[in-house]
């Protein structure tokens, strides 16, 4: 695809950024996440670096910091409020340590023995500078551009955790305390609920709500909003500060003076210890009642801080190690359509690969045609993608402003991309479906499901082999697997004699799987592992279930009318009746050994009362299958790791849950270990 002219792209980016800044600073109504703003900003900066002629004086890249708004009186900070350099990885941290040590050696000589760090949580709020004269609060100011901020004293006075008088017997004539104002999450949610009731636009996040609240002209409103404050540094006369030799002593002194200090600081001797602190808070921060977006690492010894000083923008003695944002911007290169086992057509955005919350993302779901139409997504569009927790990434937002001229719109096809038969969209569903039972995608999906672990568990038969068997016409239904000869298997491309024999034997062994698993393997809509088990307990054979009335099926505890209808209708279809007959002929187990008793022996009393959490993508089981399997064996499955968790089942790309479980000493299992445990 041809790139849009750079000039036009720069113009659109500038416009977007200006709109976003205006919405953020002037209206206190942000229209995009900060991470998204940063990425667009970087894109513009890169473009301008490549084409300096494109730079205009009003470009956001030409502005240093944000100007204070006009309603409040401007104040010049005694000492600038520096920002912090950001680190995003271990190697950034190593580079920072090497850098400060090099600087120290060339300016101060040998490194001192105590090179430890004071680590704190990075509170996601707004920085405040508080001036105390003779122990009395006389001024509270926002950070502004770091040099000049706004005097918001009357608003600051409403914050209960900011003392109006310091708890000091002999307060110095002038003392400045700095820290972070923030809104606790419950207060933030309440504010947004109230705003929704009143029809006011919502705050995008607590940080924006904090900044917006601090700049409210009516202190009454500020007072109702229950802002909070954590203090983290103090600036004052040398004599006064002399007794404070370390960062941690400063925090303790601040607490003594009457400030709230975040209690989760830690003294760390090395980068390795910092890494463990960072990792721990990556998960634990999720249970805090306020938001944090990283950890701040400061050299603990004050004499080191003084000796290192500041660059133009940052202290050399501190750095913020940020947690990855969960949104990113990228471009849609194509839109493909995936046809699932049930025939559902899912549009998928093929993306220019982008890093997001620790993984490279190249595809994002668009869910269905309705969602696609709602987004008005074109191929070539710049989009925001989002990955909350471990869910499959999805496209959240489209920037039509950045749409290239040759971008093409996309509509879900009205014919199946696999079999080219017309698709249908049931009235009450958002999903379009291919209903051709001979569609190769549906046939493949049915076989892949049949051979899966929870179903017939045929070892060595992956998606690739299933595709080969379907393409070559050897297999059309699960029953066909049982008619395959060793020669036919060995004759397949890239299949050795030994592998063919293994697969052949695995197919043969699957004849012994109990009726409940055969039932699950049939892939009847709404019949997962648990429902198959329940159904097989009441209807211990295929004929008994096939003949059952819908009402009788719905009588089973745990089986609702929707499931009953689905099962009942499945057995009314001649093709399905024929499949059951063929399976019987092929020697599959279609009844439990003693009527009335389930043949599935796996109910394992040792799992009773055990709580499992699943994280990441398991090699063969879907999340639901793993969940059903555990529940079917008497265990509980929970969504979040806590002290009550007994086992964490870990798949690929495990996220924060793994870190939390490791910290809590919880036993981790991979899929094989889980299955072994269940057997
Ligand atoms: S120290 C010179 N400590 O993060 C030292 N800052 O990205 C400056 N922040 O502007 C700051 N929690 O608003 C420090 N424990 C913490 C912090 C913290 C949040 C904010 C602060 C600063 C921004 C830099």
């Amino acid at each position: 695809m041809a790139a849009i002219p750079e000039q036009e792209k720069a113009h659109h980016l500038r416009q977007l950024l200006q709109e976003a800044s205006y919405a953020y600073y002037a209206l206190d109504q942000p229209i995009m996440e900060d991470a998204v703003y940063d990425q667009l900003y970087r894109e513009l900066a890169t473009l301008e670096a490549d084409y300096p002629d494109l730079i205009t004086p009003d470009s956001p890249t030409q502005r240093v910091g944000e100007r204070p708004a006009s309603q409040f009186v401007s104040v010049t900070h005694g000492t600038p409020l520096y920002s912090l350099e950001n680190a995003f990885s271990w190697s950034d941290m190593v580079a920072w340590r090497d850098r400060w040590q090099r600087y120290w050696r060339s300016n101060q000589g040998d490194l001192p023995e105590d090179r430890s760090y004071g680590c704190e949580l990075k509170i996601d709020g707004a920085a405040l500078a508080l001036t105390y004269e003779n122990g009395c609060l006389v001024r509270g100011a926002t950070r502004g551009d770091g040099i000049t901020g706004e005097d918001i004293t009357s608003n600051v006075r409403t914050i209960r955790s900011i003392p109006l008088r310091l708890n000091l017997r002999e307060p110095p004539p002038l003392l400045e305390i700095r820290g972070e104002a923030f809104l606790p999450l419950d207060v933030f949610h309440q504010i947004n609920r109230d705003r929704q009731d009143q029809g006011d636009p919502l705050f995008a996040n607590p940080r924006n709500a904090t900044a917006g609240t601090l700049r409210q002209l009516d202190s009454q409103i500020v007072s109702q909003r229950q802002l909070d404050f954590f203090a983290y540094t103090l600036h004052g006369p040398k004599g006064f500060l002399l007794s404070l030799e370390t960062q941690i002593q400063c925090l303790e002194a601040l607490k003594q003076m009457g400030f709230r200090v975040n209690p989760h600081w830690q003294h760390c001797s090395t980068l390795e210890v910092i890494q463990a602190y960072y990792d721990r808070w990556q998960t634990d921060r999720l249970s805090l009642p306020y938001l944090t977006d990283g950890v701040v690492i400061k050299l603990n010894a004050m004499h080191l801080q003084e000796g290192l000083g500041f660059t133009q923008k940052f202290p050399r003695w501190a750095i913020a190690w940020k947690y990855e944002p969960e949104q990113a911007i990228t471009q849609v290169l194509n839109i493909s359509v995936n046809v699932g086992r049930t025939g559902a057509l899912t549009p998928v955005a093929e993306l220019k690969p982008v890093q997001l919350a620790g993984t490279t993302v190249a595809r994002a779901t668009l869910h269905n045609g309705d969602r696609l139409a709602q987004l008005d997504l074109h191929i070539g569009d710049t989009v925001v993608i989002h990955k909350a927790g471990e869910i499959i990434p999805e496209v959240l937002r489209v920037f039509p402003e950045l749409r290239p001229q040759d971008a093409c719109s996309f509509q879900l096809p009205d014919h199946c991309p696999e079999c080219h038969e017309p698709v249908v969209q049931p009235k009450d569903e958002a999903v379009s479906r291919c209903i051709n039972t001979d569609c190769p995608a549906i046939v493949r999906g049915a076989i892949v499901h049949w051979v899966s672990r929870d179903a017939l568990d045929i070892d060595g038969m992956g998606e690739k082999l299933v595709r080969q068997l379907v393409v070559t016409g050897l297999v059309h239904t699960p029953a066909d697997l049982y008619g395959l000869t060793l020669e036919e298997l060995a004759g397949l491309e890239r299949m050795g004699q030994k592998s063919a024999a293994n697969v052949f034997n695995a197919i043969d062994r699957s004849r012994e799987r109990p009726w409940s698993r055969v039932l699950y393997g049939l892939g009847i809509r709404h019949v997962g592992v648990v429902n198959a088990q329940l159904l097989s307990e009441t209807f211990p054979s295929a004929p008994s279930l096939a003949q059952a009335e819908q009402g009788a099926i719905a009588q089973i505890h745990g089986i609702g009318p929707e499931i009953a209808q689905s099962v009942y209708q499945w057995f009314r279809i001649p093709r399905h009746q024929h499949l059951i007959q063929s399976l019987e002929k092929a020697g599959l187990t279609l009844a439990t050994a003693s009527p009335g008793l389930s043949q599935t022996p796996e109910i394992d009393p040792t799992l009773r009362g055990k709580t499992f959490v699943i994280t990441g993508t398991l090699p063969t089981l879907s999340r639901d299958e793993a969940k059903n399997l555990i529940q079917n064996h008497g265990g509980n499955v929970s969504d979040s790791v806590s002290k009550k968790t007994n086992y964490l089942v870990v798949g690929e790309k495990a996220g924060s849950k793994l870190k939390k479980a490791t910290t809590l000493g919880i036993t981790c299992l991979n899929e094989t270990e889980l299955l072994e445990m269940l057997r």
Side-chain angles (χ1 to χ4, degrees):
M1 184 179 327
I4 63 164
E6 280 69 24
Q7 194 172 7
E8 203 177 319
K9 185 163 184 192
H11 171 75
H12 286 313
L13 282 168
R14 231 174 266 137
Q15 242 177 1
L16 256 177
L17 291 167
Q18 267 153 11
E19 274 165 32
S21 273
Y22 177 73
Y24 186 103
Y25 288 102
L27 308 179
D28 287 332
Q29 290 300 336
I31 55 170
M32 64 178 72
E33 278 241 335
D34 288 8
V36 170
Y37 181 93
D38 291 347
Q39 219 174 329
L40 289 173
Y41 182 97
R42 277 198 299 272
E43 220 166 282
L44 177 62
T46 314
L47 200 61
E48 289 178 343
D50 291 346
Y51 304 93
D53 287 352
L54 295 182
I55 301 175
T56 57
D58 67 343
S59 175
T61 57
Q62 305 304 300
R63 191 208 290 268
V64 181
E66 292 296 335
R67 302 271 147 246
S70 51
Q71 302 102 311
F72 292 100
V73 176
S74 290
V75 285
T76 306
H77 298 297
T79 345
L81 265 83
Y82 287 90
S83 164
L84 287 170
E85 185 183 349
N86 285 332
F88 292 99
S89 62
W90 167 256
S91 56
D92 288 350
M93 289 300 297
V94 172
W96 170 70
R97 180 202 51 197
D98 293 350
R99 220 172 323 120
W100 79 252
Q101 295 196 345
R102 233 185 352 261
Y103 185 89
W104 181 274
R105 278 201 213 90
S106 41
N107 291 279
Q108 311 278 345
D110 287 344
L111 289 174
E113 215 159 278
D114 179 9
R115 304 194 287 272
S116 62
Y117 304 89
C119 296
E120 298 160 27
L121 300 186
K122 187 170 185 306
I123 311 299
D124 202 4
L128 286 185
L130 311 173
T131 310
Y132 287 84
E133 280 177 11
N134 300 313
C136 276
L137 175 70
V138 293
R139 198 173 74 188
T142 63
R143 177 174 181 273
D145 61 5
I147 310 285
T148 315
E150 295 159 303
D151 187 331
I152 50 158
T153 311
S154 51
N155 289 346
V156 164
R157 283 178 181 280
T158 70
I159 304 176
R160 299 279 165 96
S161 43
I162 294 182
L164 299 179
R165 176 177 285 281
L166 296 177
N167 180 28
L168 276 178
R169 226 173 292 143
E170 286 177 44
L174 196 67
L175 196 60
E176 191 175 299
I177 309 297
R178 291 176 180 179
E180 200 82 352
F182 64 96
L183 272 172
L185 283 168
D186 57 344
V187 181
F188 164 71
H189 292 309
Q190 188 54 51
I191 292 172
N192 261 353
R193 272 196 296 272
D194 293 347
R195 288 174 78 87
Q196 192 160 29
D197 289 347
Q198 285 153 18
D200 292 337
L202 305 188
F203 285 120
N205 56 46
R207 173 159 25 107
N208 297 335
T210 303
T213 303
L214 285 172
R215 294 170 63 253
Q216 267 285 336
L217 289 170
D218 184 352
S219 327
Q220 281 293 105
I221 297 181
V222 184
S223 160
Q224 286 159 14
R225 294 251 179 106
Q226 299 173 56
L227 282 165
D228 210 332
F229 178 81
F230 281 131
Y232 50 63
T233 55
L234 71 176
H235 297 256
K238 274 248 173 312
F240 177 78
L241 299 177
L242 223 50
S243 59
L244 302 172
E245 291 180 353
T246 67
Q247 178 65 32
I248 287 165
Q249 282 175 11
C250 287
L251 293 179
E252 276 157 358
L254 284 165
K255 207 165 145 192
Q256 273 296 316
M257 286 179 209
F259 287 96
R260 228 185 134 192
V261 168
N262 187 282
H264 304 300
W265 55 266
Q266 191 177 308
H267 188 194
C268 296
S269 50
T270 63
L271 287 198
E272 282 75 12
V273 183
I274 294 174
Q275 160 106 63
Y277 176 78
Y278 173 86
D279 286 350
R280 174 182 163 212
W281 284 104
Q282 179 146 30
T283 45
D284 283 6
R285 72 195 179 110
L286 305 175
S287 18
L288 290 173
Y290 44 84
L291 283 192
T292 60
D293 60 341
V295 298
V296 180
I297 297 104
K298 301 171 184 172
L299 274 161
N300 195 34
M302 283 323 220
H303 76 96
L304 274 177
Q305 295 192 3
E306 279 150 27
L308 288 167
F310 297 82
T311 68
Q312 285 268 315
K313 283 179 164 176
F314 311 123
R316 291 193 187 84
W317 44 267
I319 193 159
W321 192 355
K322 301 278 288 273
Y323 294 118
E324 291 238 25
E326 297 202 317
Q327 290 190 0
I329 288 196
T330 186
Q331 207 187 6
V332 176
L333 304 177
N334 203 355
I335 298 174
S336 59
V337 178
N338 184 47
V339 185
R341 172 166 69 87
T342 61
L345 266 59
T346 308
V348 177
E350 308 284 345
L351 307 167
K352 191 165 153 195
V354 63
Q355 276 298 111
L356 177 62
T359 57
T360 307
V361 175
R363 305 180 90 217
T365 181
L366 294 159
H367 299 291
N368 53 49
D370 282 3
R371 177 82 183 130
L372 189 65
Q374 211 176 38
L375 287 168
D376 184 30
L377 181 69
H378 286 46
I379 298 172
D381 269 344
T382 299
V383 292
V384 177
I385 58 162
H386 149 97
K387 190 167 70 169
E390 290 140 20
I391 306 166
I392 310 163
E394 60 177 340
V395 172
L396 262 196
R397 169 178 179 178
V398 177
F399 291 108
E401 306 89 323
L402 300 178
R403 181 168 292 155
Q405 273 151 3
D406 58 352
C408 5
S409 64
F410 182 87
Q411 282 201 320
L412 265 194
D414 47 14
H415 285 73
C416 171
E418 288 265 353
C419 69
H420 313 293
E421 289 290 311
V423 295
V424 297
Q425 180 165 9
K427 249 195 249 125
D428 48 348
E429 286 188 29
V431 175
S432 316
R433 284 180 201 281
C434 170
I435 50 162
N436 169 19
T437 47
D438 292 327
C439 172
I442 298 177
V443 171
R444 278 198 314 269
I447 314 274
V448 168
H449 177 71
W450 178 266
V451 303
S452 66
R453 291 265 182 167
D454 275 354
L456 280 292
D457 189 16
I458 302 182
D459 242 5
M461 188 164 291
E463 270 198 60
K464 259 195 197 147
L465 179 53
V466 170
R467 189 176 277 271
Q468 265 182 302
L469 291 168
V470 173
V471 168
T472 49
L474 286 170
V475 170
H476 193 71
T477 74
D480 296 338
L481 291 172
Y482 300 90
L484 286 171
T485 63
L486 192 52
E487 290 69 37
E488 279 169 336
L489 281 168
L492 293 170
E493 230 175 273
R494 287 191 298 279
M495 174 75 91
Q497 280 292 338
K498 189 151 181 249
S499 312
N502 286 342
V503 172
F504 185 81
N505 291 333
I507 294 174
D508 185 40
R509 278 199 305 276
S510 76
R511 289 184 164 96
E512 292 154 25
R513 305 280 180 256
W515 157 229
S516 61
R517 288 173 59 165
V518 174
L519 179 54
Y520 169 69
L522 295 173
I524 303 172
R525 231 171 141 199
H526 307 306
V527 180
V529 176
V530 174
N531 289 341
Q533 179 72 39
L534 289 173
L535 288 162
S536 70
E537 280 165 9
T538 306
F539 300 103
S541 69
S544 65
L545 183 57
Q547 283 152 25
E549 287 303 326
Q550 192 171 319
I553 304 174
Q555 290 278 302
I556 302 175
H557 185 69
I559 302 281
E562 201 186 357
I563 305 166
Q565 187 187 28
S566 168
V567 174
Y568 179 79
Q569 283 178 350
W570 193 92
F571 281 100
R572 306 278 90 63
I573 295 171
R575 189 167 28 88
H576 295 160
Q577 294 164 356
H578 184 246
L579 173 65
I580 296 287
Q581 284 162 13
S582 310
L583 290 172
E584 194 173 12
K585 262 193 224 139
L588 271 292
T589 312
L590 297 182
T592 44
S594 49
L597 274 179
S598 162
Q599 211 181 353
T600 314
E602 296 103 320
I603 296 284
D604 177 353
T606 61
L607 289 202
R608 289 257 155 81
K610 298 277 185 239
T611 299
F612 290 71
V613 173
I614 307 164
T615 184
T617 313
L618 301 179
T620 65
L621 295 176
S622 72
R623 189 63 73 91
D624 278 347
E625 286 165 345
K627 190 172 171 182
N628 286 340
L629 201 60
I630 294 165
Q631 287 171 341
N632 207 26
H633 290 75
N636 303 316
V637 179
S638 157
D639 284 334
S640 54
V641 173
S642 72
K643 283 186 194 122
K644 290 186 190 143
T645 310
N646 299 97
Y647 298 101
L648 182 74
V649 184
V650 183
E652 215 186 303
K653 294 178 188 158
S656 51
K657 288 178 191 166
L658 176 57
K659 285 187 178 151
K660 184 156 185 194
T662 318
T663 323
L664 293 174
I666 290 162
T667 309
C668 295
L669 307 169
N670 60 24
E671 186 185 278
T672 318
E673 286 163 338
L674 170 72
L675 292 166
E676 259 161 32
M677 187 179 208
L678 300 183
R679 290 210 176 96

